[in-house]
Amino acid sequence: MQKGKDLAGFLQETTTADITRLLLSIADGTRTLSHAVRNLGVLNLGGSMDVTNIQGETVQKLDDFSNNVLMELCKASGVCAGYLSEENEDIVTLDPNGGYVVAIDPLDGSANIDIAAPVGTIFSIHERLSPVGGPVNHGDFLQHGHRVVAAGYALYGSSTILVFSTGAGTHMFSLDADDNHYYKSHTDVMIPGNGKIYSLNQGNLSKFEPVAQQFIEWCVSHDKETSRPYSLRYIGSMVGDMHRTFIKGGVFLYPAAKGEKRGKLRLLYECIPMAYITEQAGGKAINGAERILDIQPTELHERCAIIIGCKDMVGKYEEFAQAVAAV
Ligand code: AHG
Ligand code: MN
Ligand code: MN
């Protein structure tokens, strides 16, 4: 079978030289991580370290390994001024002369590592706002999602897939396990509009905001016209659950809950990148009240409720939210 275009060739034709360099560096990191995930036991990368990160979560060996690999490669790109990671408390200046900053979740779905279930990497790239030649500052990272210049994720599942957008559609590349190159599998991916899947941690039902409870009730109620009840699928890594959403449609949710008004997922390196590539694929992403890409970030590691996927299902959630707000 003939292979699709390779990643470097595609990027050279579709984006700038600097973004090509940075995306190829991140892609190199994901190839290393793909190998590490598949050889976890052999490389002794399973299990946790004796530390917690800024979110208070136990750092897995693979979290730390992934962060070091990706930070080094972003630096090596020669265009990345600064780096914000789930695993670093503060931002890091990598190259004072770079024009871009990267926000990254080096290893998403850490709880899946030791059970050999899908994990991934999520990232977004903004132009820096601080003067070139000096250190980066928080303002470089606290930018609206609608100012993203490129974003994407890698999924280390039964195969390794790189999905990204540079603002002109969402594209999928598969890693060839033999020659270790990425080849195009789908360009201009569109989230199917007739999804029949909802995806969330339903064990938290009693804690979710009332709108989420109403929405779940709607998903499980019977209606021939919209093929309800819908199926519940939940992998427990955002990358895995979102990849299914891109391919099969439906909606993924991590809503606001009692005691967790902003949900669980992180705005800068989980919600914004996924929202950007979702919109580029014809979908929609909100926090319940507002478009994710229009939220003004205020903290590096802030959390954000998210309802993301095909327009119809996210639109339905919005309808419920507007009805509740009107009361
Ligand atoms: P991370 O491993 O980067 O901390 O992210 C985990 C996230 C996300 O991938 C997933 O959607 C969610 O946590 C699962 O949370 P629950 O275990 O609460 O369902
Ligand atoms: Mn994550
Ligand atoms: Mn993570």
Side-chain angles (χ1 to χ4, degrees):
M1 211 184 92
Q2 200 177 348
K3 291 178 185 173
K5 194 176 243 331
D6 88 326
L7 181 62
F10 180 83
L11 289 173
Q12 278 151 14
E13 281 173 15
T14 56
T15 187
T16 63
D18 280 1
I19 293 299
T20 297
R21 285 175 72 172
L22 189 44
L23 284 176
L24 288 177
S25 293
I26 293 171
D28 269 352
T30 66
R31 298 194 299 190
T32 301
L33 299 197
S34 178
H35 179 266
V37 166
R38 298 190 195 302
N39 295 277
L40 195 82
V42 183
L43 298 171
N44 190 25
L45 281 169
S48 58
M49 317 218 330
D50 208 8
V51 276
T52 51
N53 64 14
I54 176 77
Q55 341 272 335
E57 294 160 352
T58 306
V59 177
Q60 304 293 310
K61 284 187 202 164
L62 196 62
D63 286 322
D64 186 59
F65 176 83
S66 307
N67 189 37
N68 292 336
V69 164
L70 287 160
M71 190 157 53
E72 272 315 304
L73 282 160
C74 283
K75 187 176 164 78
S77 73
V79 298
C80 184
Y83 182 87
L84 165 69
S85 163
E86 181 188 3
E87 304 306 335
N88 299 338
E89 184 166 350
D90 207 352
I91 55 174
V92 181
T93 297
L94 294 181
D95 183 342
N97 294 319
Y100 296 91
V101 294
V102 169
I104 201 158
D105 178 356
L107 205 285
D108 175 63
S110 300
N112 278 354
I113 297 169
D114 288 339
I115 58 163
V119 292
T121 297
I122 313 173
F123 64 91
S124 66
I125 302 171
H126 279 89
E127 262 178 50
R128 76 183 293 180
L129 300 174
S130 56
V132 173
V136 291
N137 60 40
H138 287 197
D140 290 321
F141 296 88
L142 299 176
Q143 297 192 52
H144 282 109
H146 57 240
R147 296 180 61 106
V148 161
V149 293
Y153 65 83
L155 169 69
Y156 317 114
S158 58
S159 60
T160 294
I161 316 275
L162 181 68
V163 179
F164 64 89
S165 175
T166 57
T170 291
H171 314 300
M172 293 189 179
F173 282 69
S174 293
L175 187 64
D176 184 322
D178 295 323
D179 71 10
N180 208 27
H181 279 63
Y182 278 111
Y183 294 99
K184 185 173 84 181
S185 45
H186 306 290
T187 45
D188 300 311
V189 174
M190 294 301 281
I191 297 181
N194 58 347
K196 296 174 182 54
I197 295 172
Y198 73 107
S199 180
L200 85 176
N201 186 339
Q202 197 155 334
N204 292 330
L205 181 68
S206 63
K207 292 199 288 175
F208 286 145
E209 63 175 1
V211 180
Q213 294 174 346
Q214 278 177 35
F215 180 77
I216 294 166
E217 215 169 283
W218 177 81
C219 289
V220 302
S221 61
H222 288 249
D223 176 58
K224 251 196 185 149
E225 206 185 311
T226 51
S227 307
R228 286 180 284 134
Y230 294 142
S231 294
L232 169 62
R233 296 282 182 272
Y234 192 63
I235 294 167
S237 70
M238 186 191 206
V239 166
D241 285 310
M242 280 307 299
H243 193 64
R244 182 196 55 250
T245 306
F246 280 107
I247 303 285
K248 297 196 166 182
V251 64
F252 169 79
L253 312 93
Y254 214 112
K258 279 181 210 135
E260 287 171 2
K261 288 274 162 263
R262 289 174 158 192
K264 174 184 179 185
L265 300 180
R266 277 56 58 108
L267 178 61
L268 293 182
Y269 39 80
E270 291 178 320
C271 299
I272 284 180
M274 283 299 183
Y276 180 80
I277 49 182
T278 294
E279 288 199 4
Q280 287 291 325
K284 196 171 163 106
I286 60 171
N287 66 357
E290 199 179 358
R291 179 186 177 219
I292 298 273
L293 297 186
D294 285 341
I295 295 172
Q296 171 64 60
T298 56
E299 288 166 40
L300 297 176
H301 297 283
E302 80 183 80
R303 295 176 193 265
C304 177
I306 189 163
I307 297 94
I308 182 168
C310 73
K311 267 191 176 151
D312 294 356
M313 285 169 82
V314 177
K316 190 73 201 173
Y317 194 100
E318 221 170 14
E319 243 177 62
F320 283 125
Q322 282 159 2
V324 167
V327 175

